[in-house]
């Protein structure tokens, strides 16, 4: 595993229609509501759009006590809800705030790079790109040594 | 509100999640025939119960096991019991009160060990929600001693269907109590073949009782055990396992204080095992899980952003304060004679970081992002029965490292070796270290010597002799010294005095125990408030009631007796609350939120206090305020004090502490801090605090200086006691009044109320209802009315 697929966003093509969020919440919750049920979020700021979604850095794997978070052979980081105990450590520790917790559901959820959002965008603002794992990988600080 | 099933998505199901082989500890592998061992078990009693879901943090019943009669039954938890005792330690005390007599001693048939989590215990969202509170009549103190531990047992006991487990009676042969939360069955089984020492028996039973040969199945088993050391000493601790699926090791947390392990082995319990099904953050049935999660996520972000620059708990655990204590002259060194030492740098946390294996988030319960429980893997044991084997050692934590400083052991590898044997033998690291440090000082003075110590050369720093003493204790060595040594500092004092060896005053002043329990590892000579934090306690000198050294000594935030008394009211109450609900205290104040910079009372960490009120509200589904939390504690705290009085203790004389905790006992100790390097600490105090002129002090003989300091400090401790008892609403002899108890809600407990009334009347006849301090000039006792407590 040397590469991983992540979502790339072209803000200039986005019209804020949020079809991507609807598609995503459909994948995770069989719901069209998007918003806090979508792993990918589009935010408007000063007339243009930002997107936030998991970049597969994998820091969350280091903070899970039950090994519910794993990196698959494809490089994608996934959460096994059958193992997860709903502790929210990964949600709090995610450096980008993209491990999400939807209301009414105890287990968090995240982007699984399935591409549903890419297919749903009418403007081609989203694409799945392959990047080097080393470029995105992050290690939690408690593994990085201590000042003497 | 629904559980996780609502979010199932087909997208996830096809994934077969396989972890790469991952981390290897390199530990010695054991070739056990676990099936053959289990085949030797005889079922002595079996009890099938109806499985019940947790409701808002409570299961509504407790489990009672009697090993003398092989009885197993369940008891209901009434609304009254919840209201008065909340849970956790409160339930422990209530069940003990119902089950024992005032004459019950640690080895009495009717003595009990009670385990309880509490209503927040087992919630997986907020950090530190896996604590077990265990209590018994202690062999060291002859009163109730409670001690808390992490690990998986308390959550699993609750998920199995019980708010508490009460074990009474004694088995005739070694037994296991197995609580099968999956099948709804409890058994008492003989266990002749399994090991007794904790690191092995935990491993054996985790594998033997897991449903299948998977890491997940093993993670759903928790084991309580003691060890061979607990069998032969008063220092016995309990080990609670938490199976680490990355290391593939049953790791251990300890109920250290007060000899719980000693009582456990006296009852011939080899282990208690629990097994549960899948659980998650909904299993504790919070009324508002989204609120729980929101508070937890806010806290977890603090950990992510602030821990590294504050305590670095996730990286080195509680050991981060070794260097802080060393800097502030608070690290106990050579039996608390000194608070810092040149060689102490060897034990600073970076030296342990090199030895810790950082493979996982080291929490002792799920969801704890403070994750302070570090481990050394593949450690090669240097002495004793496991010499040459490779093992995982949990810790060392601060108290263990500081305990080694107290014995003058300055090599991190010996700290780990010692820590390993304390745990596996079921010995409390704190009591062992403080006890042996005292024996070493006696050895230095010739009060003990090689002959008197059964051939052991207990000089400060002799790590091999320390380990040898522990091996002998665990092996049941019958020599007089080893027998007494294992009973702790109080019995050692009695023995030395009875033998006529050494000066009585020196022996009593230097052995760091109070109520029969050894002190934990902080030098409190220069902090009067912390002296109270150790002495004016329910169970003995343990910092879990109050840790005020920095507030008092370093930051000077509580200068007057009234200020100190207020702190010695609030903090013991606040800290008691954690034990009522099954929480760890470290996440409260070992990371400080940014809001603290502008908080009115920063020492209380108000934002975190509000978090706790919020998660309790979210669990119960009703509004709980920070003030409510203190009310819960005050009830239980006063109940425990009253139980001490019921058992013939708990008065002013029992709240005494040895002079080593208050000031310099020896000339060496005095001189070591009365020099230029330490800014002539004691000369300065004679002038600034005690009104002597500099000229007088310059002319004064060292013995006179020490005597003035001795008298001054003893009197200050009495004045502090006056102020604290007054603040707590007790009589001058430390008795909670029936009026006070009624005000707290104990109106129906007539036996207790009458006992307290009788005691107060006896104190009145004996002239004990008077202030203890010597008030002169402008000084005034806390209240003009000597009978203030009558109101």
């Amino acid at each position: 595993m040397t590469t991983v697929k992540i979502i790339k966003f072209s803000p200039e093509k986005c019209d804020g229609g949020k079809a991507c969020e609807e598609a995503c919440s459909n994948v995770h919750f069989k719901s069209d509501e998007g918003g806090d049920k979508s792993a990918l979020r589009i935010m408007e700021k000063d007339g243009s759009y930002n997107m936030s979604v998991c970049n597969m850095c994998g820091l969350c794997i280091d903070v899970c006590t039950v090994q519910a978070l794993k990196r698959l052979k494809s490089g994608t980081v996934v959460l096994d809800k059958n193992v997860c105990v709903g502790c929210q450590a990964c949600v709090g520790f995610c450096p980008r705030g993209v491990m999400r917790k939807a209301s009414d559901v105890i287990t968090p959820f995240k982007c699984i790079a399935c591409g549903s959002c890419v297919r749903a965008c009418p403007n081609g603002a989203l694409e799945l790109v392959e990047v080097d794992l080393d470029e995105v990988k992050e290690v939690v600080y408690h593994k990085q040594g201590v000042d003497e | 509100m629904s559980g996780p099933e609502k979010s199932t998505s087909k997208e996830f199901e096809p994934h077969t999640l396989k972890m790469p082989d991952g981390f290897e500890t390199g530990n010695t592998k054991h070739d056990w025939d676990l099936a053959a061992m289990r085949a030797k078990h005889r079922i002595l009693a079996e009890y099938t119960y109806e499985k019940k879901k947790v409701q808002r943090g409570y299961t509504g019943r407790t489990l009672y096991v009697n090993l003398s009669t092989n009885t197993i039954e369940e008891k209901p938890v009434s609304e009254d019991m919840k209201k008065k005792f909340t849970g956790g330690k409160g339930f422990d005390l209530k069940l003990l009160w119902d089950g024992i007599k005032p004459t019950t001693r640690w080895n009495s048939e009717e003595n009990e060990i009670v385990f309880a989590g509490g209503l927040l215990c087992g919630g997986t969202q907020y950090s530190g929600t896996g604590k077990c509170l265990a209590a018994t009549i202690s062999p060291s103190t002859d009163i109730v001693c409670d001690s808390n531990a992490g690990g998986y047992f308390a959550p699993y006991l609750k998920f199995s269907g019980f708010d508490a487990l009460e074990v009474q009676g004694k088995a005739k042969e070694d037994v296991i109590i197995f609580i099968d939360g999956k099948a709804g069955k409890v058994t008492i089984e003989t266990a002749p073949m399994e090991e007794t020492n904790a690191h092995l028996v935990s491993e054996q039973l985790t594998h033997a009782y897991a449903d299948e040969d998977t890491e997940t199945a093993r993670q759903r088993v928790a084991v309580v055990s003691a060890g061979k050391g607990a069998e032969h000493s008063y220092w016995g601790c309990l080990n609670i396992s938490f199976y680490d699926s990355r290391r593939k090791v049953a790791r251990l947390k300890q109920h250290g204080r007060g000899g719980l392990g000693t009582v456990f082995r006296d009852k011939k319990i080899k282990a208690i095992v629990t097994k549960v099904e899948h659980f998650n953050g909904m299993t504790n049935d919070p009324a508002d899980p989204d609120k729980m999660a929101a508070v937890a996520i806010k806290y977890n972000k603090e950990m992510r952003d602030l821990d590294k620059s504050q305590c670095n708990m996730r990286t080195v655990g509680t050991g981060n304060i070794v260097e802080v204590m060393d800097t502030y002259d608070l690290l106990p060194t050579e039996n608390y004679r000194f608070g810092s030492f040149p060689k102490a740098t060897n034990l600073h946390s970076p030296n342990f970081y090199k030895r810790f294996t950082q493979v996982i988030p080291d929490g002792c319960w799920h969801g704890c992002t403070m994750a302070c429980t570090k481990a050394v893997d593949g450690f090669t044991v240097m002495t004793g029965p496991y010499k040459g084997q490779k093992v995982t050692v949990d810790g060392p934590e601060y108290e263990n490292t500081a305990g080694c400083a107290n014995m003058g052991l300055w090599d991190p590898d010996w700290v780990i070796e010692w820590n390993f044997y304390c745990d596996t033998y079921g010995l409390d690291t704190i009591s062992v270290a403080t006890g042996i440090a005292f024996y070493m000082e006696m050895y230095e003075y010739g009060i003990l010597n090689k002959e008197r110590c059964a051939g052991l050369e207990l000089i400060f720093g002799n790590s091999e002799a320390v380990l040898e003493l522990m091996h002998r204790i665990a092996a049941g060595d019958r020599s007089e010294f080893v027998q007494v040594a294992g009973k702790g500092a109080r019995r050692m004092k009695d023995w030395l005095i009875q033998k006529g060896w050494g000066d009585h005053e020196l022996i009593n002043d230097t052995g760091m125990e109070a109520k029969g329990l050894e002190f934990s590892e902080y030098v409190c000579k220069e902090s009067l408030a912390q002296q109270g934090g150790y002495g004016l306690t329910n169970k003995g000198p343990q910092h879990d009631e109050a840790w005020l050294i920095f507030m008092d000594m370093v930051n000077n935030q509580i200068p007057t007796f009234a200020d100190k008394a207020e702190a010695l009211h609030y903090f013991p109450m606040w800290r008691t609350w954690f034990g009522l609900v099954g929480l760890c205290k470290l996440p409260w104040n070992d990371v400080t939120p940014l809001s603290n910079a502008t908080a009115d009372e920063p020492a209380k960490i108000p934002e975190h206090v509000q978090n706790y009120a919020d998660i309790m509200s979210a669990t119960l589904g009703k509004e709980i305020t920070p003030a409510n939390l203190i009310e819960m504690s005050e009830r239980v705290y006063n109940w425990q004090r009253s139980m001490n009085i019921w058992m013939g203790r708990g008065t002013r004389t029992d709240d005494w502490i040895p002079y080593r905790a208050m000031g310099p006992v020896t000339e060496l100790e005095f001189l070591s801090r009365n020099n230029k390097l330490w800014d002539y600490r004691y000369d300065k105090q004679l002038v600034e605090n005690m009104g002597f002129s500099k000229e007088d002090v310059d002319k004064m003989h060292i013995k006179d200086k020490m005597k003035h300091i001795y008298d001054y400090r003893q009197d200050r401790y009495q004045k502090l006691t006056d102020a604290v008892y007054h603040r707590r609403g007790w009589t001058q002899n430390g008795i909670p009044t029936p009026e006070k108890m009624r005000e707290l809600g104990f109106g129906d407990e007539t036996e207790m109320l009458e006992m307290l009334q009788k005691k107060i009347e006896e104190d009145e006849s004996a002239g004990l209802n008077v202030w203890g301090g010597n008030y002169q000039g402008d000084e005034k006792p806390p209240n003009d009315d000597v009978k203030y407590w009558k109101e």
Side-chain angles (χ1 to χ4, degrees):
Chain A
M1 156 203 342
T2 54
T3 60
V4 59
K5 283 185 178 146
I6 61 172
I7 308 285
K8 192 183 159 195
F9 178 59
S10 307
E12 69 285 0
K13 294 183 188 168
C14 179
D15 62 6
K18 300 197 180 178
C20 51
E21 288 194 10
E22 287 166 25
C24 186
S25 66
N26 222 325
V27 168
H28 287 282
F29 300 97
K30 298 192 184 82
S31 151
D32 291 334
E33 60 192 288
D36 97 327
K37 296 236 176 337
S38 170
L40 164 145
R41 299 297 301 274
I42 301 291
M43 266 88 58
E44 191 183 346
K45 199 188 170 194
D46 306 331
S48 69
Y49 295 96
N50 289 326
M51 185 274 295
S52 86
V53 76
C54 176
N55 75 337
M56 306 293 165
C57 81
L59 184 137
C60 55
I61 299 170
D62 288 342
V63 301
C64 179
T65 52
V66 290
Q67 291 178 279
L69 281 153
K70 295 164 188 195
R71 194 184 287 281
L72 301 180
K73 284 208 174 103
S74 63
T76 308
V77 177
V78 296
L79 174 80
D80 185 341
K81 288 179 195 286
N82 294 319
V83 178
C84 174
V85 292
C87 79
Q88 319 301 331
C90 54
V91 180
F93 265 71
C94 176
R96 276 155 214 89
V98 292
M99 178 67 77
R100 300 190 196 279
K101 157 91 175 62
S103 54
D104 295 357
V105 184
I106 197 77
T107 47
F109 70 107
K110 68 181 292 304
C111 173
I112 52 168
C114 68
S116 295
C117 55
V118 176
R119 291 189 291 277
C121 179
N123 309 315
L126 296 166
E127 56 188 314
L128 260 180
V129 298
E130 199 153 331
V131 295
D132 274 354
L133 199 53
D134 289 341
E135 263 177 51
V136 293
K137 207 170 177 175
E138 284 188 39
V139 174
V140 74
Y141 68 82
H142 69 256
K143 290 186 173 181
Q144 295 175 13
V146 62
D147 299 331
E148 292 200 33
Chain B
M1 206 63 62
S2 78
E5 54 281 356
K6 196 169 166 184
S7 70
T8 48
S9 157
K10 283 261 175 339
E11 291 290 318
F12 285 85
E13 283 159 11
H15 294 308
T16 310
L17 299 176
K18 278 203 168 166
M19 187 64 182
D21 285 343
F23 178 76
E24 275 292 326
T25 58
N27 289 352
T28 302
K29 300 237 186 312
H30 299 276
D31 193 18
W32 293 310
D33 187 346
L34 297 171
M37 280 182 191
R38 198 154 174 197
K40 295 276 185 195
H41 291 195
R42 258 182 315 115
I43 308 288
L44 301 175
E46 189 173 298
Y47 178 75
T48 309
Y49 63 92
E50 188 196 342
K51 286 167 66 178
K52 255 164 88 179
K53 285 203 158 69
V54 181
Q55 288 187 319
R56 305 289 185 254
Y58 290 103
T59 66
R61 64 183 174 189
T62 64
L63 179 64
Y64 171 82
V65 175
N66 190 312
L67 296 172
S68 298
T69 58
N70 288 320
T71 315
I72 307 171
E73 53 195 47
E74 52 189 85
K75 296 181 180 176
V77 172
S78 67
E79 286 306 312
D80 188 61
M81 181 167 161
K82 286 193 214 171
K83 197 176 139 205
K84 287 175 180 158
F85 296 95
T86 308
K89 180 168 108 170
F91 281 8
D92 290 349
L93 291 167
K94 159 71 177 154
L95 293 168
L96 273 169
W97 166 256
D98 290 342
I100 62 167
K101 299 180 282 199
T103 50
T104 300
R105 291 296 170 260
W106 70 277
N107 54 357
S108 303
E109 190 87 6
E110 74 276 10
N111 189 17
E112 299 189 338
I113 305 179
V114 193
F115 299 87
L119 77 103
L120 297 177
C121 179
T124 59
Q125 290 97 341
Y126 203 77
S127 287
T129 49
K131 282 278 185 170
C132 185
L133 277 295
T136 194
I137 300 305
S138 158
S140 305
T141 64
D142 291 334
I143 48 174
V144 177
C145 192
D146 58 280
S147 183
N148 70 79
Y152 294 171
F153 178 67
Y156 288 3
L157 176 67
K158 192 199 273 186
F159 299 162
S160 295
F162 302 100
D163 288 331
L165 164 66
E166 190 184 358
V167 186
Q168 195 170 39
K170 295 188 196 191
K172 290 174 190 67
E173 55 190 310
D174 276 351
V175 294
I176 286 173
I177 300 167
F178 176 41
I179 303 164
D180 186 343
K182 205 176 162 194
K185 201 164 83 176
V186 182
T187 48
I188 305 172
E189 309 172 9
T190 63
M193 305 285 283
E194 282 82 357
E195 298 282 344
T196 299
N197 287 337
H199 80 292
L200 297 177
V201 71
S202 304
E203 202 73 39
Q204 289 175 334
L205 295 174
T206 299
H207 282 83
Y209 283 85
D211 267 348
E212 50 186 60
D213 185 18
T214 64
E215 299 306 307
T216 304
R218 285 188 274 277
Q219 206 167 37
R220 289 176 190 164
V221 174
V223 178
V224 184
S225 62
K228 296 297 278 183
E231 260 173 51
H232 304 294
S233 76
Y234 287 180
W235 285 335
C237 75
L238 290 176
N239 286 280
I240 308 286
S241 77
F242 61 111
Y243 188 80
D244 182 331
S245 61
R246 284 178 174 86
R247 289 184 170 89
K248 303 179 178 58
V249 171
R251 295 176 58 190
L252 303 171
K253 296 295 286 183
Q254 290 77 30
H255 288 281
R257 308 308 326 268
L260 282 150
T262 305
V263 179
F264 193 84
R265 289 302 294 142
D266 184 58
K267 294 185 178 305
K268 289 214 163 28
I269 310 170
K270 195 169 258 181
I272 302 173
V273 183
T274 47
K275 182 167 78 181
V276 294
E277 300 171 278
H278 177 63
F279 57 87
N280 62 26
M282 298 302 292
T283 312
N284 200 42
D285 191 39
D288 187 348
D290 281 351
K291 186 172 170 187
M292 288 288 293
V295 181
I297 291 166
K298 175 176 77 119
Y299 181 83
N300 291 343
K301 286 180 178 165
E302 268 172 36
M303 282 305 302
R304 175 192 68 189
D305 298 336
L306 304 172
D307 173 53
K308 187 163 171 54
S309 59
Q310 293 182 8
C311 298
N312 218 7
M313 293 288 276
R314 290 180 61 86
T315 310
V316 292
T318 54
N320 77 82
I321 60 169
V322 173
E323 41 266 44
V324 180
M325 295 302 125
D326 189 26
T327 305
Y328 284 96
D329 204 29
L330 298 167
L331 181 75
T333 302
E334 297 193 349
N335 196 30
Y336 302 86
R337 287 191 293 193
F338 318 114
S340 56
F341 211 72
K343 284 184 183 170
T345 48
N346 290 355
L347 303 186
H348 289 186
S349 64
N351 289 314
F352 287 101
Y353 183 80
K354 290 173 194 155
R355 290 160 172 87
F356 292 145
T357 337
Q358 304 284 350
V359 289
I360 72 150
D362 284 308
C364 64
W365 174 243
H366 305 299
C368 184
T369 50
M370 188 156 271
C372 68
T373 180
K374 300 293 142 195
V376 180
D377 293 300
F379 177 76
T380 308
V381 181
M382 298 185 278
T383 67
Y386 307 114
K387 186 176 177 177
Q389 294 191 14
K390 287 182 184 288
V391 295
T392 290
V393 187
D394 271 286
E397 298 189 32
Y398 167 74
E399 297 288 333
N400 309 352
T401 304
C404 285
N406 223 348
M407 297 183 287
L409 312 190
W410 301 114
D411 180 338
D413 289 323
W414 280 98
V415 174
I416 295 165
E417 170 89 5
W418 173 81
N419 197 152
F420 165 71
Y421 271 113
C422 280
D423 292 353
T424 199
Y425 282 156
L427 292 170
D428 170 28
T429 52
I430 295 175
S431 293
V432 170
T434 300
I436 294 178
F438 168 52
Y439 311 159
M440 286 172 151
E441 187 174 347
M442 294 298 98
Y443 199 102
E444 185 173 298
Y445 302 152
I447 295 171
L448 286 172
N449 55 40
K450 194 171 172 181
E451 194 194 333
R452 291 173 183 178
C453 291
L456 294 164
E457 288 183 273
L458 283 175
I459 51 172
F460 283 115
N462 190 349
S463 39
E464 289 180 46
V466 169
L467 266 295
E468 180 59 24
L469 173 56
M470 286 163 54
H471 297 319
R472 288 209 211 166
I473 289 172
D477 184 303
R478 303 299 304 166
S479 67
E480 201 180 357
F481 173 76
V482 176
Q483 287 286 310
V484 176
K487 290 188 171 65
R490 178 67 253 167
R491 274 70 179 185
M492 181 59 75
K493 287 179 176 179
D494 294 343
W495 187 64
L496 296 175
I497 291 168
Q498 179 212 324
K499 290 276 185 189
W501 297 335
D503 177 67
H504 297 192
E505 209 172 329
L506 179 70
I507 291 167
N508 276 323
D509 282 349
T510 50
M512 283 288 277
E513 58 79 29
K515 300 183 175 68
L517 187 72
E518 286 83 359
F519 275 65
S520 69
E521 310 300 330
Y522 297 96
V523 172
C524 57
K525 273 175 231 179
E526 301 305 320
S527 166
L528 178 63
Q530 186 56 37
Q531 291 162 28
Y534 273 132
L536 309 174
T537 51
N538 275 330
K539 72 179 175 203
Q542 173 57 17
H543 59 282
D544 81 355
E545 277 199 18
W547 197 87
L548 304 170
I549 295 181
F550 265 57
M551 259 180 102
D552 187 35
M553 182 191 114
V554 180
N555 301 330
N556 198 24
Q557 289 164 323
I558 42 175
T560 67
F561 285 111
D563 294 337
K564 292 182 209 297
E566 184 56 36
L568 282 167
H569 170 72
Y570 177 82
F571 287 100
M573 298 311 148
W574 170 240
R575 285 166 169 259
T576 293
W577 178 78
F578 290 83
L580 305 185
V581 292
L583 295 192
C584 174
K585 291 181 274 294
L586 301 188
W588 159 54
N589 68 349
D590 276 319
V591 67
T592 310
L594 296 174
S595 65
N596 230 42
T598 52
D600 283 342
E601 296 180 287
K604 294 184 179 177
I605 322 231
E607 183 180 334
H608 286 179
V609 173
Q610 188 59 49
N611 284 357
Y612 288 113
D614 288 345
I615 60 171
M616 192 157 185
S617 306
T619 301
L620 288 171
K622 63 175 184 186
E623 190 60 25
I624 301 286
T625 66
N628 296 147
L629 307 182
I630 300 296
E631 289 157 17
M632 294 170 202
S633 297
E634 210 178 346
R635 278 194 287 274
V636 174
Y637 193 89
N638 279 277
W639 184 264
Q640 187 169 0
R641 180 78 176 185
S642 300
M643 277 185 75
N644 287 352
I645 291 154
W646 179 61
M647 302 194 78
R649 305 287 297 279
T651 61
R652 189 181 281 254
T653 48
D654 299 301
D655 286 347
W656 164 92
I657 53 171
Y659 186 60
R660 175 58 58 76
M662 295 183 201
V665 175
T666 66
E667 288 186 12
L668 167 75
E669 208 178 335
F670 178 91
L671 291 169
S672 78
R673 296 299 179 265
N674 203 44
N675 54 45
K676 197 176 170 194
L677 188 65
W678 295 94
D679 199 17
Y680 298 95
R681 180 185 288 171
Y682 299 119
D683 282 356
K684 212 170 151 188
Q685 289 176 6
L686 284 160
V687 175
E688 287 177 6
N689 305 336
M690 297 160 63
F692 291 97
S693 70
K694 193 168 176 314
E695 294 71 35
D696 287 346
V697 172
D698 286 344
K699 280 184 260 168
M700 211 180 277
H701 189 275
I702 179 170
K703 285 200 180 348
D704 294 326
K705 289 182 187 176
M706 288 177 69
K707 178 77 172 82
H708 286 305
I709 288 170
Y710 180 92
D711 291 342
Y712 177 74
R713 291 189 177 198
Q714 292 282 9
D715 182 51
R716 297 250 302 164
Y717 186 75
Q718 292 303 333
K719 285 173 179 152
L720 179 73
T721 306
D722 288 342
V724 171
Y725 287 177
H726 179 259
R727 176 62 187 87
R728 290 180 185 171
W730 298 346
T731 68
Q732 285 91 344
N733 200 26
I735 318 293
T737 60
E739 293 82 355
K740 171 90 190 170
M741 295 297 278
R742 277 195 202 96
E743 184 193 313
L744 291 169
F746 294 114
D748 308 325
E749 285 69 10
T750 41
E751 188 192 343
M752 184 67 99
L753 299 176
E754 283 168 12
M755 182 279 298
L756 292 169
Q757 187 58 45
K758 190 163 163 263
K759 175 66 185 156
I760 292 168
E761 284 161 16
E762 283 168 14
D763 283 353
E764 186 64 32
S765 328
L768 295 173
N769 293 335
V770 291
W771 301 113
N774 176 19
Y775 297 93
Q776 288 181 328
D778 293 343
E779 288 182 328
K780 276 192 178 337
N783 201 315
D784 290 334
D785 179 7
V786 182
K787 297 285 183 294
Y788 64 89
W789 37 265
K790 278 197 163 168
E791 284 157 28

